Amino acid sequence: MEIVIMSLLAGCLLGVSNIMTERWIGHLDKIIMVVLFILLIAVGIGIGNNQELINNLTLLGWKAMVIAILSTVGSVLTLWFVVSRVDFLKNNKIEEKQS
């Protein structure tokens, strides 16, 4: 867990210090997607190599599917709620400035 926190803090320090050039920051989305795909492939390989998990997949399958679906729906609804509130706050500030 320490490595995760240290990595996050290192990224924050890099962002605040302006060491990263605009060129790198412009490509940051692509870099994140590539690293995320590599991470997902590694997790898939780990799951595929776990014979005990594969043998119990029918037992765990429905529970895992329900948890995955509910997590996805909850994340989407939370994101929608936050984005709608942020837009609402921005629109209020713009309207107040125009008045």
Side-chain angles (χ1 to χ4, degrees):
M1 186 61 158
E2 294 86 16
I3 190 75
V4 173
I5 294 171
M6 288 175 20
S7 298
L8 183 62
L9 289 176
C12 290
L13 290 175
L14 279 173
V16 169
S17 67
N18 292 327
I19 292 174
M20 303 293 289
T21 63
E22 289 294 323
R23 192 178 92 191
W24 277 100
I25 293 174
H27 295 292
L28 200 54
D29 289 339
K30 292 176 187 173
I31 294 169
I32 290 171
M33 288 302 292
V34 168
V35 171
L36 183 61
F37 286 136
I38 291 170
L39 178 63
L40 288 171
I41 290 169
V43 169
I45 291 170
I47 290 172
N49 281 334
N50 188 341
Q51 201 59 35
E52 183 179 342
L53 180 65
I54 297 298
N55 291 338
N56 292 325
L57 196 57
T58 56
L59 176 66
L60 300 174
W62 286 104
K63 292 177 185 177
M65 190 183 326
V66 169
I67 290 171
I69 289 170
L70 291 177
S71 297
T72 303
V73 170
S75 296
V76 169
L77 289 176
T78 302
L79 181 62
W80 172 80
F81 178 76
V82 169
V83 168
S84 67
R85 291 295 170 195
V86 169
D87 286 342
F88 173 73
L89 294 175
K90 285 182 183 178
N91 289 336
N92 271 350
K93 288 181 182 179
I94 292 170
E95 289 174 5
E96 288 175 3
K97 288 181 181 179
Q98 291 175 354
S99 299

